[in-house]
Amino acid sequence: MLSPERLALPDYEYLAQRHVLTYMEDAVCQLLENKEDISQFGIARFFTEYFNSVCQGTHILFREFSFIQATPHNRASFLRAFWRCFRTVGQNGDLLTMREYHCLLQLLCPDFPLELTQKAARIVLMDDAMDCLMSFSDFLFAFQIQFYYSEFLESVAAIYQDLLSGKNPNTVIVPTSSSGQHRQRPTLGEASMLEGVEASLFYQCLENLCDRHKYSCPPPALVKEVLSNVQRLTFYGFLVALSKHHGINQALGALPDKGDLMHDPALDEELERLLAQIPGLVNSVTAGPEASCLPTRTPPRVGSPWRPLHHARKVDAESDGSTEETDESET
């Protein structure tokens, strides 16, 4: 049974919307790179397992950044994988620095750019130093907005700067993704000095942007809801409001609500099933308090059977000040 969305679109538009060509090209590249191994199992089985992994969202694990950001589905899958892999950081109440969160991101994507992590941290830290500690939930929801809507936010930053300089919003030129990279985000000093921009004027510009932006952007109705609650706002104030908006998180669909962030029943059940299959492990864990003193073993990281990790590099876990609490964390 075909969905109403599928019936309403011509074939070429539906395939383009779902980025099917992107996945076909990637599958063929992997097939050619691993043809000797795949020949033992058969091409049909390879394509079946490849597209099953795409549907399950596991196809982005340990892949290069260019592939992870290639489609909205890839970005949402990466966000979900990061949450599921490292939610124990939040469960334990651990606070980490920006560089420590970046190391976690590099465990899933070895060439993940530091700049994106820094921008996400800035949404949380605002005026604080970049080496301050952050909770897992605060960083995760800020990172979601920054990573998933990165091209949109570059255009928003350009519009915000134009409004600060007094340009007529009707003549605002929206940059392309390439030109937007050369724009500098408004500094907190500029934003504080001018107390931001008028929210209604800002929304008029963003409404036009959402209508013609070729990349993913938040639903315009939710953007209007965010901006209708204030008269003026700063650029980072806008990003904070987006990261904390329940409706935007639901519309994106990658992460659970904040109240359910530490719970993943499906994954917990699967882990319990796997642990139960290891002889003596459950008994040793529940035997007594002394079991907690036993050294833990880190399981090896296993990559996709179809893609050699020849491009992966070791993550440098050392970072200046990454394990030291700052004065701000003690207050």
Coordinates of all heavy atoms in Angstrom, one line a residue, residues 144-215:
Q144 N 21.5 19.4 18.6 CA 20.5 19.0 17.6 C 20.1 20.2 16.7 O 20.1 20.0 15.5 CB 19.2 18.5 18.3 CG 18.1 18.3 17.4 CD 16.8 17.7 18.1 OE1 16.4 16.6 17.8 NE2 16.3 18.5 19.1
I145 N 19.8 21.4 17.3 CA 19.5 22.5 16.5 C 20.6 23.0 15.6 O 20.5 23.2 14.4 CB 19.1 23.7 17.4 CG1 17.8 23.4 18.1 CG2 18.9 25.0 16.6 CD1 16.6 23.2 17.2
Q146 N 21.8 23.0 16.1 CA 23.0 23.5 15.4 C 23.3 22.5 14.2 O 23.7 23.0 13.1 CB 24.2 23.7 16.3 CG 25.4 24.1 15.6 CD 25.3 25.4 14.9 OE1 24.9 26.4 15.5 NE2 25.5 25.5 13.6
F147 N 23.3 21.2 14.5 CA 23.7 20.3 13.5 C 22.7 20.1 12.4 O 23.0 20.1 11.2 CB 24.0 18.9 14.2 CG 24.3 17.8 13.3 CD1 25.4 17.9 12.4 CD2 23.6 16.6 13.2 CE1 25.7 16.8 11.6 CE2 23.9 15.6 12.4 CZ 25.0 15.7 11.5
Y148 N 21.4 19.9 12.8 CA 20.4 19.6 11.8 C 20.0 20.8 10.9 O 19.8 20.6 9.7 CB 19.1 19.1 12.5 CG 18.1 18.4 11.6 CD1 18.2 17.1 11.3 CD2 17.1 19.1 11.0 CE1 17.3 16.4 10.5 CE2 16.2 18.5 10.2 CZ 16.3 17.2 9.9 OH 15.4 16.6 9.1
Y149 N 20.1 22.0 11.5 CA 19.7 23.2 10.8 C 20.9 24.1 10.5 O 20.7 25.3 10.4 CB 18.6 24.0 11.6 CG 17.3 23.3 11.9 CD1 16.8 23.1 13.1 CD2 16.6 22.7 10.8 CE1 15.6 22.5 13.4 CE2 15.4 22.1 11.0 CZ 14.9 22.0 12.3 OH 13.7 21.3 12.6
S150 N 22.0 23.5 10.3 CA 23.3 24.3 10.2 C 23.2 25.3 9.1 O 23.6 26.5 9.3 CB 24.5 23.4 10.1 OG 24.4 22.6 8.9
E151 N 22.8 24.9 7.9 CA 22.8 25.9 6.7 C 21.7 27.0 7.0 O 21.9 28.1 6.7 CB 22.5 25.1 5.4 CG 23.6 24.2 5.0 CD 23.4 22.8 5.6 OE1 22.5 22.6 6.4 OE2 24.2 21.9 5.3
F152 N 20.6 26.6 7.5 CA 19.5 27.6 7.8 C 20.1 28.6 8.8 O 19.8 29.8 8.7 CB 18.3 26.8 8.4 CG 17.3 27.7 8.9 CD1 16.4 28.4 8.1 CD2 17.1 27.9 10.3 CE1 15.4 29.3 8.6 CE2 16.1 28.7 10.8 CZ 15.3 29.4 10.0
L153 N 20.8 28.1 9.9 CA 21.3 29.1 10.9 C 22.3 30.0 10.3 O 22.5 31.1 10.8 CB 21.8 28.3 12.1 CG 20.8 27.5 12.8 CD1 21.4 26.8 14.1 CD2 19.6 28.3 13.3
E154 N 23.1 29.6 9.3 CA 24.1 30.5 8.7 C 23.3 31.6 8.0 O 23.7 32.8 8.1 CB 24.9 29.7 7.7 CG 25.9 28.7 8.3 CD 27.0 29.4 9.0 OE1 27.2 30.7 8.8 OE2 27.7 28.8 9.8
S155 N 22.2 31.3 7.4 CA 21.4 32.3 6.7 C 20.8 33.2 7.7 O 20.7 34.5 7.5 CB 20.4 31.7 5.8 OG 21.0 31.0 4.8
V156 N 20.3 32.7 8.8 CA 19.7 33.5 9.9 C 20.7 34.4 10.5 O 20.4 35.6 10.8 CB 19.1 32.5 11.0 CG1 18.7 33.3 12.2 CG2 18.0 31.7 10.5
A157 N 22.0 34.0 10.7 CA 23.0 34.8 11.2 C 23.3 36.0 10.3 O 23.5 37.2 10.7 CB 24.3 34.0 11.4
A158 N 23.2 35.8 9.0 CA 23.4 36.8 8.0 C 22.3 37.9 8.1 O 22.5 39.1 8.0 CB 23.5 36.3 6.6
I159 N 21.1 37.4 8.2 CA 19.9 38.3 8.3 C 20.0 39.1 9.6 O 19.7 40.3 9.6 CB 18.6 37.4 8.2 CG1 18.4 36.9 6.8 CG2 17.4 38.3 8.7 CD1 17.2 36.0 6.7
Y160 N 20.4 38.4 10.7 CA 20.5 39.1 11.9 C 21.5 40.3 11.9 O 21.2 41.4 12.3 CB 20.9 38.1 13.0 CG 20.9 38.7 14.4 CD1 19.8 38.9 15.2 CD2 22.1 39.2 14.9 CE1 19.8 39.4 16.5 CE2 22.2 39.7 16.2 CZ 21.1 39.8 17.0 OH 21.1 40.4 18.2
Q161 N 22.6 40.0 11.2 CA 23.6 41.1 11.1 C 23.1 42.2 10.2 O 23.4 43.4 10.5 CB 24.9 40.5 10.5 CG 25.8 39.7 11.4 CD 27.1 39.4 10.8 OE1 27.2 38.9 9.7 NE2 28.2 39.7 11.5
D162 N 22.4 41.9 9.2 CA 21.8 42.9 8.3 C 20.8 43.8 9.1 O 20.8 45.0 9.0 CB 21.1 42.3 7.1 CG 22.1 41.7 6.1 OD1 23.3 42.1 6.2 OD2 21.7 40.9 5.3
L163 N 20.0 43.2 9.9 CA 19.1 44.0 10.7 C 19.8 44.8 11.8 O 19.4 46.0 12.1 CB 18.1 43.0 11.4 CG 17.1 42.3 10.5 CD1 16.2 41.3 11.3 CD2 16.2 43.3 9.8
L164 N 20.9 44.3 12.4 CA 21.6 45.1 13.3 C 22.2 46.3 12.6 O 22.4 47.4 13.3 CB 22.8 44.2 13.9 CG 22.4 43.3 15.1 CD1 23.6 42.6 15.5 CD2 21.7 44.0 16.2
S165 N 22.6 46.2 11.4 CA 23.2 47.3 10.7 C 22.2 48.3 10.1 O 22.6 49.3 9.5 CB 24.1 46.8 9.6 OG 23.4 46.1 8.6
G166 N 20.9 47.9 10.3 CA 19.9 48.9 9.9 C 19.4 48.7 8.4 O 18.8 49.6 7.9
K167 N 19.7 47.6 7.8 CA 19.3 47.4 6.4 C 17.8 47.1 6.4 O 17.2 46.6 7.3 CB 20.0 46.2 5.8 CG 21.4 46.4 5.4 CD 22.0 45.3 4.6 CE 23.4 45.5 4.1 NZ 23.9 44.4 3.3
N168 N 17.2 47.5 5.3 CA 15.8 47.3 5.0 C 15.6 45.8 4.9 O 16.2 45.2 4.0 CB 15.3 48.0 3.8 CG 13.8 48.0 3.6 OD1 13.2 47.0 3.9 ND2 13.3 49.1 3.1
P169 N 14.7 45.2 5.7 CA 14.4 43.7 5.5 C 13.9 43.3 4.2 O 14.1 42.2 3.8 CB 13.4 43.5 6.6 CG 12.7 44.8 6.9 CD 13.8 45.8 6.7
N170 N 13.3 44.2 3.4 CA 12.8 43.9 2.1 C 14.0 43.7 1.1 O 13.8 43.2 0.0 CB 11.9 44.9 1.6 CG 10.6 45.0 2.4 OD1 10.1 44.0 2.9 ND2 10.0 46.2 2.6
T171 N 15.2 44.2 1.5 CA 16.3 44.1 0.5 C 17.4 43.1 1.1 O 18.5 43.1 0.6 CB 17.0 45.4 0.3 OG1 17.4 46.0 1.6 CG2 16.0 46.4 -0.3
V172 N 17.0 42.3 2.1 CA 18.0 41.4 2.7 C 18.3 40.3 1.6 O 17.4 39.7 1.0 CB 17.4 40.7 3.9 CG1 18.3 39.5 4.3 CG2 17.3 41.7 5.1
I173 N 19.6 40.1 1.4 CA 20.0 39.1 0.5 C 20.4 37.8 1.2 O 21.3 37.8 2.1 CB 21.2 39.6 -0.4 CG1 20.8 40.8 -1.1 CG2 21.7 38.4 -1.3 CD1 22.0 41.4 -1.9
V174 N 19.7 36.7 1.0 CA 19.9 35.5 1.7 C 21.1 34.8 1.0 O 21.1 34.5 -0.2 CB 18.7 34.6 1.7 CG1 19.0 33.3 2.4 CG2 17.5 35.3 2.3
P175 N 22.2 34.5 1.8 CA 23.4 33.9 1.2 C 23.1 32.4 0.8 O 22.3 31.8 1.4 CB 24.4 34.0 2.3 CG 23.6 34.0 3.5 CD 22.3 34.7 3.2
T176 N 23.9 31.9 -0.1 CA 23.9 30.5 -0.4 C 24.7 29.8 0.7 O 25.4 30.5 1.5 CB 24.5 30.2 -1.8 OG1 25.8 30.7 -1.8 CG2 23.7 30.9 -2.8
S177 N 24.7 28.5 0.7 CA 25.5 27.7 1.7 C 27.0 28.1 1.6 O 27.7 28.1 2.6 CB 25.3 26.2 1.5 OG 25.7 25.8 0.3
S178 N 27.5 28.3 0.4 CA 28.9 28.6 0.2 C 29.3 30.0 0.7 O 30.2 30.2 1.4 CB 29.3 28.4 -1.2 OG 28.6 29.3 -2.1
S179 N 28.4 31.0 0.3 CA 28.7 32.4 0.8 C 28.4 32.5 2.3 O 29.0 33.3 2.9 CB 27.9 33.4 0.0 OG 26.5 33.1 0.2
G180 N 27.5 31.8 2.8 CA 27.2 31.9 4.2 C 28.3 31.5 5.1 O 28.4 31.9 6.3
Q181 N 29.2 30.6 4.6 CA 30.3 30.2 5.4 C 31.3 31.3 5.7 O 32.0 31.2 6.7 CB 31.0 29.0 4.7 CG 30.2 27.8 4.6 CD 30.9 26.7 3.8 OE1 32.0 26.9 3.2 NE2 30.3 25.6 3.6
H182 N 31.3 32.4 4.9 CA 32.2 33.5 5.1 C 31.6 34.5 6.1 O 32.3 35.4 6.4 CB 32.5 34.1 3.8 CG 33.1 33.1 2.8 ND1 34.4 32.6 3.0 CD2 32.7 32.6 1.7 CE1 34.7 31.8 2.0 NE2 33.7 31.7 1.2
R183 N 30.3 34.4 6.4 CA 29.7 35.3 7.3 C 30.1 35.0 8.8 O 30.2 33.8 9.2 CB 28.2 35.2 7.3 CG 27.6 35.7 5.9 CD 27.4 37.2 6.0 NE 26.6 37.6 4.9 CZ 25.9 38.8 4.9 NH1 26.0 39.5 5.9 NH2 25.3 39.1 3.8
Q184 N 30.4 36.0 9.5 CA 30.7 35.8 10.9 C 29.5 35.9 11.7 O 28.7 36.8 11.5 CB 31.8 36.9 11.4 CG 33.1 36.7 10.7 CD 33.8 35.5 11.2 OE1 33.7 35.1 12.3 NE2 34.5 34.8 10.3
R185 N 29.3 35.0 12.7 CA 28.1 35.2 13.5 C 28.2 36.4 14.4 O 29.3 36.8 14.8 CB 28.0 33.9 14.5 CG 27.4 32.7 13.8 CD 27.0 31.7 14.8 NE 26.3 30.6 14.1 CZ 25.8 29.6 14.8 NH1 26.0 29.5 16.1 NH2 25.2 28.6 14.2
P186 N 27.1 37.1 14.7 CA 27.2 38.3 15.5 C 27.8 38.0 16.9 O 27.4 37.0 17.5 CB 25.7 38.7 15.7 CG 24.9 37.4 15.4 CD 25.7 36.7 14.4
T187 N 28.7 38.8 17.3 CA 29.3 38.6 18.6 C 28.4 39.0 19.7 O 27.5 39.8 19.5 CB 30.6 39.4 18.7 OG1 30.3 40.8 18.7 CG2 31.6 39.1 17.6
L188 N 28.6 38.4 20.9 CA 27.8 38.7 22.0 C 27.9 40.2 22.4 O 27.0 40.8 22.9 CB 28.1 37.8 23.2 CG 27.8 36.3 23.0 CD1 28.3 35.5 24.2 CD2 26.3 36.2 22.8
G189 N 29.0 40.8 22.2 CA 29.2 42.2 22.5 C 28.3 43.1 21.6 O 27.6 44.0 22.1
E190 N 28.2 42.8 20.3 CA 27.3 43.5 19.5 C 25.9 43.3 19.9 O 25.1 44.3 20.0 CB 27.5 43.1 18.0 CG 28.8 43.4 17.4 CD 29.0 42.8 16.1 OE1 28.3 41.8 15.8 OE2 29.9 43.2 15.3
A191 N 25.5 42.1 20.1 CA 24.1 41.8 20.5 C 23.7 42.5 21.8 O 22.6 43.0 21.9 CB 23.9 40.3 20.6
S192 N 24.6 42.4 22.8 CA 24.3 43.0 24.1 C 24.2 44.5 24.0 O 23.3 45.1 24.6 CB 25.4 42.6 25.1 OG 25.4 41.2 25.2
M193 N 25.0 45.1 23.1 CA 25.0 46.6 23.0 C 23.7 47.1 22.4 O 23.2 48.1 22.9 CB 26.2 47.0 22.2 CG 26.3 48.5 22.0 SD 27.8 49.0 21.0 CE 27.4 48.1 19.4
L194 N 23.2 46.4 21.4 CA 22.0 46.8 20.7 C 20.8 46.1 21.3 O 19.7 46.4 20.8 CB 22.2 46.5 19.2 CG 23.3 47.3 18.5 CD1 23.4 46.9 17.1 CD2 23.1 48.8 18.6
E195 N 20.9 45.2 22.2 CA 19.8 44.5 22.8 C 19.0 43.8 21.7 O 17.8 43.7 21.8 CB 18.9 45.5 23.6 CG 19.6 46.1 24.8 CD 18.6 47.0 25.6 OE1 17.5 47.2 25.1 OE2 19.0 47.5 26.7
G196 N 19.7 43.3 20.8 CA 19.0 42.4 19.8 C 18.3 43.2 18.7 O 18.5 44.4 18.5
V197 N 17.3 42.5 18.1 CA 16.5 43.1 17.0 C 15.1 43.0 17.3 O 14.7 42.2 18.2 CB 16.8 42.5 15.6 CG1 18.3 42.7 15.3 CG2 16.5 41.0 15.7
E198 N 14.2 43.7 16.6 CA 12.8 43.6 16.8 C 12.3 42.3 16.3 O 12.5 41.9 15.2 CB 12.1 44.8 16.1 CG 10.6 44.8 16.3 CD 9.9 45.9 15.6 OE1 10.7 46.9 15.1 OE2 8.7 45.9 15.4
A199 N 11.5 41.6 17.2 CA 11.1 40.2 16.9 C 10.2 40.1 15.7 O 10.3 39.2 14.9 CB 10.4 39.6 18.1
S200 N 9.3 41.1 15.5 CA 8.3 41.0 14.4 C 9.0 41.2 13.1 O 8.7 40.5 12.1 CB 7.2 42.1 14.6 OG 7.8 43.4 14.7
L201 N 10.0 42.1 13.1 CA 10.7 42.3 11.8 C 11.6 41.1 11.5 O 11.8 40.7 10.3 CB 11.6 43.6 12.0 CG 12.3 44.2 10.8 CD1 11.2 44.5 9.7 CD2 13.1 45.4 11.1
F202 N 12.2 40.6 12.5 CA 13.0 39.4 12.4 C 12.2 38.2 11.8 O 12.7 37.5 10.9 CB 13.6 39.0 13.8 CG 14.7 38.0 13.7 CD1 15.7 38.0 12.7 CD2 14.8 37.0 14.7 CE1 16.7 37.0 12.7 CE2 15.8 36.1 14.7 CZ 16.8 36.1 13.7
Y203 N 11.0 38.1 12.3 CA 10.1 37.0 11.8 C 9.8 37.2 10.3 O 9.7 36.2 9.6 CB 8.9 36.9 12.6 CG 7.9 35.9 12.0 CD1 8.2 34.5 12.1 CD2 6.7 36.3 11.4 CE1 7.3 33.6 11.5 CE2 5.9 35.4 10.8 CZ 6.2 34.0 10.9 OH 5.3 33.1 10.3
Q204 N 9.5 38.4 9.9 CA 9.2 38.6 8.5 C 10.3 38.2 7.6 O 10.0 37.5 6.5 CB 8.9 40.1 8.3 CG 7.7 40.7 8.9 CD 7.5 42.2 8.7 OE1 8.2 42.8 7.9 NE2 6.7 42.8 9.5
C205 N 11.5 38.4 8.0 CA 12.7 38.0 7.2 C 12.8 36.4 7.2 O 13.0 35.8 6.2 CB 13.9 38.6 7.7 SG 14.0 40.4 7.6
L206 N 12.6 35.8 8.4 CA 12.7 34.4 8.5 C 11.6 33.7 7.8 O 11.8 32.6 7.3 CB 12.7 34.0 10.0 CG 13.9 34.5 10.8 CD1 13.9 33.8 12.2 CD2 15.2 34.3 10.1
E207 N 10.4 34.3 7.8 CA 9.3 33.6 7.0 C 9.6 33.5 5.6 O 9.4 32.5 4.9 CB 8.0 34.5 7.2 CG 6.8 33.8 6.7 CD 5.5 34.7 6.9 OE1 5.7 35.9 7.0 OE2 4.4 34.1 7.0
N208 N 10.2 34.6 5.0 CA 10.6 34.5 3.6 C 11.7 33.5 3.4 O 11.8 32.8 2.4 CB 11.0 35.9 3.1 CG 9.9 36.9 3.1 OD1 8.7 36.5 2.9 ND2 10.2 38.2 3.3
L209 N 12.6 33.5 4.3 CA 13.7 32.5 4.3 C 13.2 31.1 4.3 O 13.7 30.2 3.5 CB 14.7 32.7 5.4 CG 15.8 31.7 5.6 CD1 16.8 31.8 4.4 CD2 16.6 32.0 6.9
C210 N 12.3 30.7 5.1 CA 11.8 29.4 5.2 C 11.1 29.0 3.9 O 11.1 27.8 3.5 CB 10.8 29.3 6.4 SG 11.6 29.4 8.0
D211 N 10.4 29.9 3.3 CA 9.7 29.6 2.0 C 10.6 29.2 0.9 O 10.2 28.4 0.0 CB 8.8 30.8 1.6 CG 7.7 31.1 2.5 OD1 7.3 30.1 3.3 OD2 7.1 32.2 2.6
R212 N 11.8 29.8 0.9 CA 12.7 29.5 -0.3 C 14.0 28.8 0.1 O 14.8 28.6 -0.8 CB 13.0 30.8 -1.0 CG 13.7 31.8 -0.2 CD 14.0 33.1 -1.0 NE 14.7 34.1 -0.2 CZ 14.2 35.1 0.4 NH1 12.9 35.2 0.4 NH2 14.9 35.9 1.1
H213 N 14.1 28.4 1.3 CA 15.4 27.7 1.7 C 15.3 26.3 1.3 O 14.4 25.5 1.5 CB 15.5 27.8 3.3 CG 16.9 27.7 3.7 ND1 17.6 26.5 3.9 CD2 17.8 28.7 4.0 CE1 18.8 26.8 4.3 NE2 19.0 28.1 4.3
K214 N 16.4 25.9 0.6 CA 16.4 24.5 0.0 C 16.9 23.5 1.1 O 16.8 22.3 0.8 CB 17.4 24.5 -1.2 CG 18.8 24.8 -0.9 CD 19.6 24.7 -2.2 CE 21.1 25.0 -1.9 NZ 21.9 24.8 -3.2
Y215 N 17.4 24.0 2.2 CA 17.8 23.0 3.3 C 16.7 22.9 4.3 O 15.7 23.6 4.3 CB 19.1 23.5 3.9 CG 20.3 23.6 3.0 CD1 20.7 24.8 2.4 CD2 21.0 22.4 2.6 CE1 21.8 24.8 1.5 CE2 22.0 22.4 1.7 CZ 22.4 23.6 1.2 OH 23.5 23.7 0.3

